[in-house]
Amino acid sequence: MQAAHGRGPAVATGIKRVHPDSVVFTYQGDGDLASIGMAEIVHAASRGENFTVIFINNAVFGMTQGQMAPTTLIGQKTTTSPRGRTAAEAGWPIRICELLDTLEGPAYIAREALTTPPRIRSAKKSIRRAFEAQLAGEGFGIVELLSTCPTWWGMDPLEAIRHIDDTMVEHYPLRVFRDRPAAHDRPAGQQEEAGSDA
Amino acid sequence: MNEERRRVFISGNEATAEGGIAGGCRHFFGYPITPQNKIPEYMAEHLPPIGGVYLQAESEVAAINMVYGASSAGARVMTTSSSPGIALMQEGLSYMLGSELPAVIVNMVRGGPGLGNVAVAQSDYWLSTRGAGHGDGRCITLTPYSVQELHNFTAGAFEIADRYQNIVMVLGDAILATMMEPCELIPRREMEPPGRPYAVGPHEAGERERNIVNSLWVDFDAMEAVNIRNEERYARAAAEITDWEEFGSDDPQVLLCAYGISARLCEGAVMRAEEAGVRLRLLRPKTVFPFPTVPIREWSERVDAMLVVELSMGQFVEDVRLAVEGRCPVDLLSRAGGNMPTVSEVLAKVREVAAKAGVAV
Amino acid sequence: MIAMPKAKVDAERCRQCMLCVEFCPRGVLVVSDQTNSRGFYPVVMRDEEKCTGCGICALVCPSVCIEVYR
Ligand SMILES: Cc1ncc(C[n+]2csc(CCOP(=O)(O)OP(=O)(O)O)c2C)c(N)n1
Ligand code: SF4
Ligand code: SF4
Ligand SMILES: [Mg+2]
């Protein structure tokens, strides 16, 4: 099912509310999720919608030929920041996981990087865990995957991987931000358990 | 100002962007979408060094509202997009028409509905001429058919927008946007100081009345007054800026009507009219709102039939039929989804239309 | 017959990004000298004997064009 640019979480909400027993996920880029679709992702997360979001963060609008994204790093050159992104002109890169981590709704939030074999294995674990959360009815899960865009970064694939590990992770720390049943699933009258920051 | 005109070989997108700068625009807000990405990229490159503002909005919804804000602050402002993005802008456009504000919007039309594709189409004709969201407002709509006209029309659109305090839509398409042609560049006009009589912004106490930009009119008569004022400006525009071009036989049996890239194709058909054995003339609107109703009506009394060629399933043809009011048959040749008829197909259709109308071919 | 562990590259889908070559701990993958229909020189197995079937190549391949049999 193809959603309009940015509207995946709203469309997924519609599908999940009709078929609550189906496994539902969205697959969204950083332009899609963090730019035009910011409202949809925040509200789906806030509602604790019981689906999974796979968020591909390559710090650029790849499909449309390499424009600046909300996640583009300061100083990064793109086709619409030809002299490098400056905070004065375009603000700072947005950290989606940290932002969603302020909400009660999400059950699982993690950021991983698709770079070296150990990191890819870790990413697979997080993705599995996010889907398990959905299957257990725990609520909204999102896995942000730092990914390369060799074409629009002007790097070869290996350089691009190194760029993520050397530079991007500084701004986007790899972390499981939350791994717990959604707040509204707590038995009433009990204290909320602290999120386990693995 | 250096009036010498530089001739360059550029794409329609670049010609459009440079047209905006030539027209005095120094504020650009936009959001990437194919096939017009070269426009924002050009603005990002060229505006900041000359003191202008290029800002990539978080969405087309935000972009058009940035345009709304900049226009209410009195600036010459533009945005560009392509079909799905223009669809998202409808709310903002409606607010601007309700607030009687000028702006220039360029739509490099692509296939639809839905996400469609990034190929050529003319299926946003209604969106542009009837659209601008809800309410009675209309966008003045210009239809260039070459890289040069994209440049000239975009530059000129700011004058028109200011003159009528109304949105001007420049309707391009995926082919015009990306094709390369020689283009004579209009010298860049200086930025207008943002001191419009209606604009909000800093002023000395007592210097002028406080300006309010608003499209909320609870009072029935006040709301109606906005609509009447808008109708008056459309009537003025119809009298003053309706524009079209004609080409071909002075005594045509069949009149071709087409705009934009389709008109380009039909020019080819007129040049090869002998093959069809029919005397052929092309009328191509350069404005479709206001629409060249008068010349089309006049021709309808002199030709045996008309043939409309458009890259949509029958949108533009409705305006032609409204102008013709049944005086002659009006047939339609349409393709969609990125497809275009060939000149030979146009000529074959011309023969068919002529034969149906009783022209001996 | 006991099947040898081996990695199999779908040459048509390979985009010659070289990540598998970089990460293969046994160094058994190399670039072939013939292009595929998309104009890339696909990766091929040079030394099947030495492949341990660890699956790292398949893990890192962005084009999902390696299958590992063990
Ligand atoms: C309403 C609307 N505006 C713009 C576009 C054009 N568009 C297609 S994909 C995209 C963003 C691509 O960036 P991202 O989401 O980061 O994905 P990537 O290609 O980098 O994986 C844009 C702006 C669109 N399809 N719809
Ligand atoms: S399976 Fe392991 S050893 Fe074999 S080719 Fe792949 S990475 Fe190398
Ligand atoms: S990782 Fe995949 S695409 Fe890249 S070179 Fe190896 S087989 Fe080819
Ligand atoms: Mg991206």
Side-chain angles (χ1 to χ4, degrees), chain C residues 2 12 15 17 19-20 24-25 31 36 42 48 52 55-56 63:
Chain C
I2 302 163
E12 266 308 298
R15 298 177 72 92
C17 72
L19 293 181
C20 57
C24 169
V31 174
N36 62 18
E48 208 168 82
T52 61
I56 285 178
S63 310

Side-chain angles (χ1 to χ4, degrees), chain B residues 62 167 188 194 242 325-326 337 346:
Chain B
I167 295 164
R188 289 180 175 180
T242 306
E325 288 182 315
V346 173

Side-chain angles (χ1 to χ4, degrees), chain A residues 108-112 122 125-126 129 173-180 194-198:
Chain A
Y108 189 79
I109 304 175
R111 181 184 292 120
E112 303 276 2
S122 172
K125 264 188 217 142
S126 276
R129 178 63 201 109
L174 304 182
R175 213 180 129 195
V176 176
F177 292 84
R178 187 178 305 178
D179 188 356
R180 66 158 166 77
S196 67
D197 290 337

Side-chain angles (χ1 to χ4, degrees), chain A residues 74-87:
Chain A
I74 296 293
Q76 187 180 335
K77 285 187 181 165
T78 69
T79 52
T80 51
S81 57
R83 288 165 286 267
R85 178 178 186 159
T86 66

